[in-house]
């Protein structure tokens, strides 16, 4: 058995540059390849980061026998095609979020992963951070009782002429695809699949949502209130309220480095515990290490973020989007009205 997985990065853009150093920090990773649409860009990236194999042909890259696993860092609308081609070639895949544009596509990738014995995981780095692992442990220990309420958000304004992937529908534009995956993943990890979804926001005619506030309601009475925006700042954080206490997740939600745990029944004064966590590299190291270890074990998915969780999150995201589309179409005003609103007389 190899001691290291031979990884190749796909794409030479923003996320590739943020994660390349973290891949090189993992002792179970050997970063051997970079694939771009453009050979000069691949060569440049390879020389900047001492990567031996540069390619501008993705299928040849996967068939080369030099790369065991690819990390797909290209706009979301292209994920399904690239991940499917890698899996069919028997190459393991960690693909940026969201894994695909639809839950049906994620299910198809899951099938291809099992059929070809290749590992598949969405790059949900948040769930692998020490702070998020601690949230899971605190919830499991019952310290804050039963979780009943979650509030979380993430947003930042992207100019209309900003990077195309935010605003072009075919590339996966919209606040939900870019940021909702995190807030929904948090709610799903704590509360599971909701019984009701209510959403208000702005969905453009081309299917790109500018911003959205949504409520996930559970028959148990639990509720998650979530917000995402590409037109306004929303502090990227959140909290979980339980029957005996609360956990506030430090910003940024995607890679928290602190937690505030408050417990105690009034009128007794609350007990406040501040927890701080170290970050390895830029925060992606625990995810890449976990994926590599799973691949070396011969696993085709990871228990911390199995493909079923990706599918479940995408199904919730689709329900939120459907609410916005319905409100837009009912109002006929570009989606200004909320899902539960009715046009006036
Ligand atoms: N986890 C995180 O913290 C985080 C942060 C930012 C983004 N992301 C995710 O990473 C992904 C990429 O985001 P990004 O900001 O890196 O995007 P980006 O810079 O716009 O694009 C990344 C690269 O994708 C390749 N690409 C662009 N258009 C393509 C096309 N039509 N066909 C094939 N390749 C194409 C390009 O590489 P070449 O020119 O070399 O082919 C480009 O440099 C997204 O899914 C996003 O959600 C994650």
């Amino acid at each position: 058995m190899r001691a290291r997985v031979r990884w190749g990065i796909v794409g030479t853009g923003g996320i590739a540059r943020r994660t390349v150093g973290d891949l090189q920090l993992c002792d179970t990773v050997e970063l051997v390849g970079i694939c771009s649409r453009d050979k000069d860009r691949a060569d440049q990236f390879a020389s900047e980061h001492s990567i031996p194999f540069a390619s501008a042909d993705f299928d040849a890259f996967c068939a080369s026998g030099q790369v065991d696993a690819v990390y797909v860092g290209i706009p979301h609308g292209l994920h399904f095609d690239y991940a499917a081609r890698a899996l069919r070639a028997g190459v393991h895949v960690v693909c940026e979020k969201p894994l695909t544009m639809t839950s049906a596509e994620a299910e198809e990738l899951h099938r291809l992963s099992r059929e070809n014995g290749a590992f598949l995981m969405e790059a949900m780095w948040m769930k692998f951070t020490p702070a998020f692992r601690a949230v899971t442990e605190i919830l499991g220990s019952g310290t804050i009782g039963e979780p009943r309420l979650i509030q979380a958000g993430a947003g930042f304004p992207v100019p209309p002429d900003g990077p195309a992937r935010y605003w072009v529908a075919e590339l996966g534009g919209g606040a939900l695809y870019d940021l909702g995956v995190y807030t929904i993943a948090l709610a799903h990890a704590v509360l599971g699949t909701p019984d009701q979804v209510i959403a208000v926001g702005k969905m453009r005619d081309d299917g790109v949502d500018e911003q959205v506030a949504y409520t996930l309601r559970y028959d148990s009475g639990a509720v998650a209130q979530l917000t995402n925006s590409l037109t306004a700042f929303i502090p990227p954080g959140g909290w979980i309220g339980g029957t005996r206490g609360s956990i506030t997740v430090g910003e940024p939600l995607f890679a928290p480095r602190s937690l505030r745990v408050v417990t105690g029944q009034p009128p007794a004064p609350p007990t406040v515990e501040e927890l701080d966590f170290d970050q390895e590299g830029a925060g992606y190291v625990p995810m890449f290490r976990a994926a590599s270890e799973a691949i070396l074990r011969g696993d085709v998915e990871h228990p911390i973020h199995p493909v079923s969780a990706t599918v479940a999150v995408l199904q919730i995201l689709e329900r939120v989007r459907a609410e916005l589309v319905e409100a837009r179409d009912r109002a006929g005003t570009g989606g200004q009205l909320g899902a539960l609103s009715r046009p006036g007389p």
Side-chain angles (χ1 to χ4, degrees):
M1 188 176 80
R2 281 182 202 280
R4 290 177 174 223
V5 178
R6 298 172 305 168
W7 284 85
I9 298 177
V10 184
T12 58
I15 194 59
R17 291 186 179 279
R18 271 169 65 179
T19 51
V20 59
D22 281 17
L23 275 159
Q24 288 170 323
L25 277 177
C26 294
D27 50 12
T28 45
V29 167
E30 188 182 356
L31 184 56
V32 297
I34 176 71
C35 187
S36 167
R37 289 164 301 170
D38 180 273
K39 185 65 167 68
D40 288 343
R41 273 202 297 281
D43 287 340
Q44 176 70 25
F45 194 97
S47 111
E48 278 173 35
H49 301 284
S50 307
I51 299 171
F53 176 31
S55 170
D57 181 334
F58 181 65
D59 293 315
F61 190 68
C62 291
S64 67
Q66 296 187 51
V67 174
D68 304 314
V70 288
Y71 165 58
V72 179
I74 59 179
H76 341 314
L78 308 160
H79 289 177
F80 175 76
D81 178 46
Y82 277 70
R85 284 154 67 190
L87 292 170
R88 284 196 194 98
V91 170
H92 310 293
V93 173
V94 169
C95 178
E96 262 310 329
K97 35 61 60 173
L99 177 64
T100 51
M101 302 297 293
T102 68
S103 58
E105 286 175 344
E107 282 172 336
E108 172 61 7
L109 291 185
H110 201 189
R111 193 188 66 73
L112 286 172
S113 151
R114 287 180 295 210
E115 187 175 281
N116 293 284
F119 180 85
L120 173 65
M121 192 177 83
E122 179 182 47
M124 185 47 67
W125 60 314
M126 172 181 83
K127 287 172 76 172
F128 292 86
T129 61
F132 199 92
R133 304 294 305 132
V135 168
T136 308
E137 278 170 30
I138 294 165
L139 290 172
S141 71
T143 304
I144 70 156
E146 190 191 335
R148 305 290 293 162
L149 275 166
I150 295 177
Q151 205 163 58
F156 48 83
V158 179
D161 59 352
R165 74 173 181 83
Y166 290 105
W167 293 125
V168 174
E170 296 70 37
L171 295 178
L176 281 164
Y177 283 128
D178 195 59
L179 298 164
V181 284
Y182 290 116
T183 40
I184 298 174
L186 170 69
H188 176 261
V190 178
L191 296 174
T193 295
D195 296 290
Q196 188 185 7
V197 172
I198 302 163
V200 293
K202 174 83 187 283
M203 171 70 82
R204 299 190 323 200
D205 288 339
D206 62 1
V208 173
D209 56 301
E210 293 182 4
Q211 67 174 6
V212 54
Y214 48 113
T215 300
L216 312 183
R217 199 193 70 82
Y218 298 76
D219 280 351
S220 65
V223 169
Q225 284 195 310
L226 312 171
T227 49
N228 304 115
S229 180
L230 291 180
T231 53
F233 285 105
I234 303 172
W239 53 258
I240 301 162
T243 48
R244 284 199 231 122
S246 65
I247 306 171
T248 302
V249 181
E251 296 177 20
L253 179 66
F254 342 106
R257 295 176 71 170
S258 65
L259 299 176
R260 184 168 212 257
V261 183
V262 180
T263 50
Q265 290 291 342
T271 302
V272 179
E273 202 181 354
E274 306 278 1
L275 303 174
D276 292 310
F277 301 86
D278 289 333
Q279 178 171 285
E280 287 183 88
Y284 304 89
V285 171
M287 172 186 75
F288 287 127
R289 183 185 291 128
S292 293
E293 288 172 357
I295 291 168
L296 290 171
R297 284 195 301 270
D299 295 346
V300 292
E301 51 190 323
H302 199 284
I304 290 181
H305 192 53
V307 183
S308 59
T310 295
V311 170
V313 166
L314 282 168
Q315 285 171 341
I316 297 168
L317 191 149
E318 285 165 345
R319 289 163 71 187
V320 178
R321 283 182 55 83
E323 287 276 302
L324 294 183
V325 168
E326 193 190 322
R328 178 197 65 195
D329 293 349
R330 194 170 52 227
T333 59
Q336 297 282 9
L337 295 179
L340 295 185
S341 305
R342 296 286 181 273

